[in-house]
Amino acid sequence: MRWLGMLAWVVSGSALAQEGSPALANTWAEAKPTFKLPKDVKDAQWTTGDGFSDNVYRSKTGTLLIRTGIDSKSVGYSPGYYSNTTVEWNLKTNQAETVDVANWSGGSYGHGKLLPAFKDRPTPSPRHTYDGLAYVESEDALYMMCGANWKTCLGEGVDPEAKEELKKDNASTWKFSFVEKRWTRIDGSIRQFWDEYKSSPYESHLRYWPEGGKLLFLNDSGRLYAEFDLKTQKWEKAELKGKCPMTLYEARSTWDSKRALWVFRLGPKLCTFDPKAKEFKELSNAYELSGDKKDPRGGMKGITYISKHDVYLINGPTAEDTWVYDPIKSAWSQVKAGGPKLVNGYLQYDAQTDLVVLSYQLTAFTFHYQP
């Protein structure tokens, strides 16, 4: 009987581990979610060539929205190395369900066409999203704008209607409602200000500002700033006070909910942006690079705000390269972390499970930070 009791305890402990909770504090653990393809597409296959699409935390449900790709000859999905799919990872069950697949044929390899389902259910085109995704909890909605999608309508056999829809796409802001389970195209995008700034859709940044009731946009240089009013559904350009102290090209970001600050990170460099004051502030470097141009720590992107402990956490290529920043003390400390080699992916924090989650396509890790 004692043996059966021990067995039950081991099985129960294994189940908890499978639900994404690492056994030890300050230890990275590979999560290995079960990624589920659409049931109604028999020949669906994952395609994971896109290395430039972010993830987003859906705070209303405590789940992670991950961008990836699905290919299907029978339906016509063919994103190439763009992402055309959103999957939702439930951290408690470790299951990841397909939420949405773009109703487009063609992607980075061109030959774009609209699938028959597009007529009744328009969707954004396949793309690199970069940091251009934002979740609004009060609406339970995901917003998307910009990114790299121009190759979709290159090459022979492009559907003329697809070319027209791609033009509309680029002049729009997209909203996915989890209540309605569909995308809505909103007229207007940041592109209406590009003639003045000669900006680019690449490596742009989008974030929800709860106190202001707006979406915030910054381009890859941090020079073009605009706000989207969620009530009026309109974009307005705003003037910045001072220059961004670092490049935002290839940077990623998090939201400091205590101070209402947008926090950016690329390698050892970080800065904050205050939407009220329209000002940037440079933070001290997290670490010093070796001087070798191939030092992988120079291009790491992961950053998240841990509200429970009021720190910013960043990851590196190994568990030992985990650092936290204390905004009150303005000081960095290296976490004595353990675990496997990590990926240069994107970090989020789930307050419900008190877990930091790192994902890159279908690869995922979890981390329980303990000061």
Side-chain angles (χ1 to χ4, degrees), residues 73-139:
K73 290 184 178 180
S74 65
V75 175
Y77 300 142
S78 55
Y81 51 78
Y82 286 165
S83 67
N84 68 342
T85 302
T86 304
V87 295
E88 186 169 22
W89 173 23
N90 186 320
L91 303 176
K92 295 176 182 177
T93 65
N94 214 22
Q95 304 293 304
E97 304 278 352
T98 300
V99 173
D100 171 76
V101 186
N103 286 323
W104 285 73
S105 179
S108 64
Y109 302 137
H111 317 295
K113 289 182 174 63
L114 301 178
L115 298 178
F118 186 91
K119 183 178 180 180
D120 296 322
R121 299 184 71 85
T123 65
S125 59
R127 69 191 65 203
H128 298 321
T129 68
Y130 303 109
D131 200 26
L133 300 171
Y135 175 74
V136 177
E137 182 176 336
S138 60
E139 299 180 354

Side-chain angles (χ1 to χ4, degrees), residues 46-344:
W46 298 112
T47 174
T48 57
D50 186 351
F52 302 97
S53 286
D54 211 349
N55 62 25
V56 179
Y57 178 64
R58 186 183 173 197
S59 53
K60 190 177 185 69
T61 55
T63 53
L64 191 69
L65 304 173
I66 299 172
R67 291 289 295 184
T68 185
I70 288 179
D71 188 277
S72 165
K73 290 184 178 180
S74 65
V75 175
Y77 300 142
S78 55
Y81 51 78
Y82 286 165
S83 67
N84 68 342
T85 302
T86 304
V87 295
E88 186 169 22
W89 173 23
N90 186 320
L91 303 176
K92 295 176 182 177
T93 65
N94 214 22
Q95 304 293 304
E97 304 278 352
T98 300
V99 173
D100 171 76
V101 186
N103 286 323
W104 285 73
S105 179
S108 64
Y109 302 137
H111 317 295
K113 289 182 174 63
L114 301 178
L115 298 178
F118 186 91
K119 183 178 180 180
D120 296 322
R121 299 184 71 85
T123 65
S125 59
R127 69 191 65 203
H128 298 321
T129 68
Y130 303 109
D131 200 26
L133 300 171
Y135 175 74
V136 177
E137 182 176 336
S138 60
E139 299 180 354
D140 195 17
L142 175 69
Y143 284 82
M144 176 191 294
M145 187 178 63
C146 291
N149 62 356
W150 64 276
K151 291 183 178 180
T152 298
C153 286
L154 293 180
E156 298 179 357
V158 176
D159 183 354
E161 189 179 0
K163 284 188 175 182
E164 290 302 312
E165 287 296 337
L166 193 63
K167 289 181 182 179
K168 287 184 184 178
D169 186 318
N170 291 334
S172 306
T173 303
W174 287 91
K175 172 184 175 180
F176 182 84
S177 167
F178 284 91
V179 177
E180 299 175 0
K181 294 182 171 55
R182 63 183 299 141
W183 288 98
T184 300
R185 188 181 65 81
I186 303 167
D187 286 331
S189 83
I190 196 68
R191 289 176 185 257
Q192 63 203 64
F193 308 119
W194 280 4
D195 289 341
E196 179 183 354
Y197 283 86
K198 294 181 174 60
S199 191
S200 159
Y202 295 174
E203 296 291 348
S204 60
H205 305 272
L206 196 66
R207 181 65 58 171
Y208 173 46
W209 177 23
E211 294 84 352
K214 297 178 179 180
L215 300 182
L216 311 179
F217 172 90
L218 279 163
N219 73 339
D220 60 341
S221 67
R223 195 164 57 93
L224 171 54
Y225 173 64
E227 299 176 349
F228 179 80
D229 191 303
L230 291 169
K231 291 182 179 180
T232 64
Q233 301 277 279
K234 300 293 183 182
W235 283 100
E236 290 188 1
K237 184 171 65 68
E239 296 300 322
L240 295 168
K241 295 180 181 178
K243 295 182 179 180
C244 183
M246 59 180 277
T247 178
L248 300 186
Y249 191 88
E250 295 189 339
R252 294 297 181 264
S253 63
T254 190
W255 185 256
D256 180 339
S257 56
K258 183 175 181 178
R259 299 165 187 82
L261 295 175
W262 198 358
V263 189
F264 295 89
R265 182 251 176 141
L266 177 60
K269 296 182 178 297
L270 287 91
C271 73
T272 62
F273 176 71
D274 182 349
K276 282 187 177 181
K278 308 290 189 293
E279 289 182 317
F280 293 97
K281 179 183 177 181
E282 185 176 15
L283 304 184
S284 60
N285 284 1
Y287 48 83
E288 296 300 323
L289 295 173
S290 65
D292 184 349
K293 292 183 179 180
K294 295 183 179 179
D295 187 340
R297 298 177 304 157
M300 298 302 293
K301 305 173 184 179
I303 179 170
T304 193
Y305 173 63
I306 302 179
S307 55
K308 180 178 180 180
H309 300 293
D310 191 23
V311 296
Y312 310 154
L313 183 141
I314 65 173
N315 77 288
T318 69
E320 290 80 8
D321 295 309
T322 304
W323 294 77
V324 293
Y325 180 81
D326 185 330
I328 296 176
K329 298 179 180 179
S330 300
W332 286 98
S333 60
Q334 188 172 13
V335 182
K336 295 181 179 179
K341 290 184 178 180
L342 304 174
V343 293
N344 191 10

